[in-house]
Amino acid sequence: MKYDTRMSADAIVMEPAVAPAASVIWLHGLGADGTDFVPLVPELKLPDAVAPRFIFPNAPVRPVTVNNGMRMRAWYDIYSLGVRDREDGTGIRDSAAVVNALIGQERAAGIGPGRIVLAGFSQGGAIALHAGLRYPTPLGGILALSTYLPQAATVAAEVASADRSLPILMCHGRHDPIVPLSLAQQSRDTLISLGYQPRWRDYPMEHQVCAAEVLAIREWLLQVLAPF
C-alpha cells in the first residue's frame, strides 16, 4: 500500500492510495515527535481492504521536571522517576482533549468511531489508554505499547461506557528500564478487574519495538479493522 504523506506543525498524516474506511491516531513517546512511528507503517503491510489513514500528532513542547526542566515534546509533565508518585493530571486531561478533537475530525470526515484506533508508545500510550477508555462512544481499539495506565485511581469512575468489549492490545519489553514490566502488568490487571479483556504480549527487549511485536500489531489491526 502506498501512502501520501502530509506534514504540518501539528501532525503527520499518511493517506492511503484508496479511500480509507478507518483511522489510526498514533501518539509518540516523550521527547520524540510525530515522525517517530512513520517508518513502521510500511512494515505493517496492511492490505488495501484494511489500510487506514494514519495520523501522527506532535505533542506540545513543554518543560519536563524529571529532565531538569528541559523543554521537549511531551504529552504531560513527569515529576519523578516513580511514575505513580505524582501525576500531571492537568497535562494528561489536556492531551486527552487533543485526542478527542482528532477523533472528532475523523468522524467529521466520515470515519465511524468504531473504525478509529488509538495507538501510542510510552507516554503516548498512556494518553491513548486514558482518552480511549473515557471516550463516550466505543472506539475500534486501543494499542498500548511500552506504557502504563495513568490516573488509575479514577478510571473506574470515569470509564464512559458499560461496554467492555473494546479491543486492547498491550505490548511490553521484559527488560524495560523506563516503564517497568511490573507497572504494565499492574495496568493490565486493573483493566481486567474493570471487565476489559486486554490482549497481552511481552518480549525480550527494553523500551523499544521489536520485529515480533510489529507482526503482533499487524495481526491485531487486521482483526479490529477487518472489512465489514
Side-chain angles (χ1 to χ4, degrees):
M1 167 60 66
K2 293 183 178 180
Y3 282 86
D4 178 32
T5 302
R6 306 192 311 271
M7 301 182 67
S8 70
D10 297 325
I12 296 170
V13 178
M14 297 183 70
E15 198 79 35
V18 297
S23 299
V24 177
I25 300 170
W26 200 313
L27 310 180
H28 63 77
L30 176 68
D33 61 23
T35 64
D36 206 26
F37 282 90
V38 167
L40 189 68
V41 173
E43 295 183 33
L44 294 172
K45 299 178 181 177
L46 296 174
D48 290 1
V50 173
R53 175 186 295 118
F54 284 90
I55 301 100
F56 298 97
N58 290 314
V61 176
R62 68 178 83 210
V64 176
T65 301
V66 75
N67 288 342
N68 297 316
M70 184 181 299
R71 295 180 62 82
M72 62 186 64
R73 292 198 181 276
W75 296 108
Y76 52 91
D77 195 6
I78 298 178
Y79 300 122
S80 68
L81 293 176
V83 181
R84 289 291 175 79
D85 290 350
R86 177 183 167 213
E87 292 184 296
D88 176 15
T90 299
I92 291 170
R93 289 189 294 272
D94 288 348
S95 288
V98 170
V99 172
N100 288 346
L102 290 170
I103 294 172
Q105 291 176 14
E106 293 308 295
R107 295 183 67 173
I111 306 297
R115 304 289 294 166
I116 298 173
V117 168
L118 296 184
F121 177 82
S122 194
Q123 208 186 46
I127 296 299
L129 283 168
H130 186 278
L133 294 171
R134 291 165 174 79
Y135 195 74
T137 306
L139 298 173
I142 301 174
L143 174 60
L145 308 177
S146 300
T147 192
Y148 69 100
L149 179 66
Q151 305 280 276
T154 63
V155 66
E158 295 176 356
V159 287
S161 171
D163 184 358
R164 297 294 190 266
S165 63
L166 175 67
I168 301 172
L169 174 62
M170 301 182 72
C171 300
H172 213 89
R174 295 175 201 145
H175 314 298
D176 192 328
I178 307 298
V179 180
L181 178 64
S182 59
L183 179 58
Q185 291 171 326
Q186 181 181 337
S187 298
R188 174 202 62 194
D189 294 346
T190 297
L191 292 173
I192 292 172
S193 73
L194 294 172
Y196 295 97
Q197 297 180 331
R199 187 177 303 179
W200 172 266
R201 298 286 185 272
D202 55 65
Y203 302 92
M205 63 179 186
E206 296 189 354
H207 197 62
Q208 62 193 98
V209 175
C210 66
E213 183 179 4
V214 173
L215 292 176
I217 293 169
R218 180 182 189 275
E219 176 187 355
W220 183 79
L221 286 173
L222 288 173
Q223 291 176 356
V224 301
L225 297 180
F228 295 114

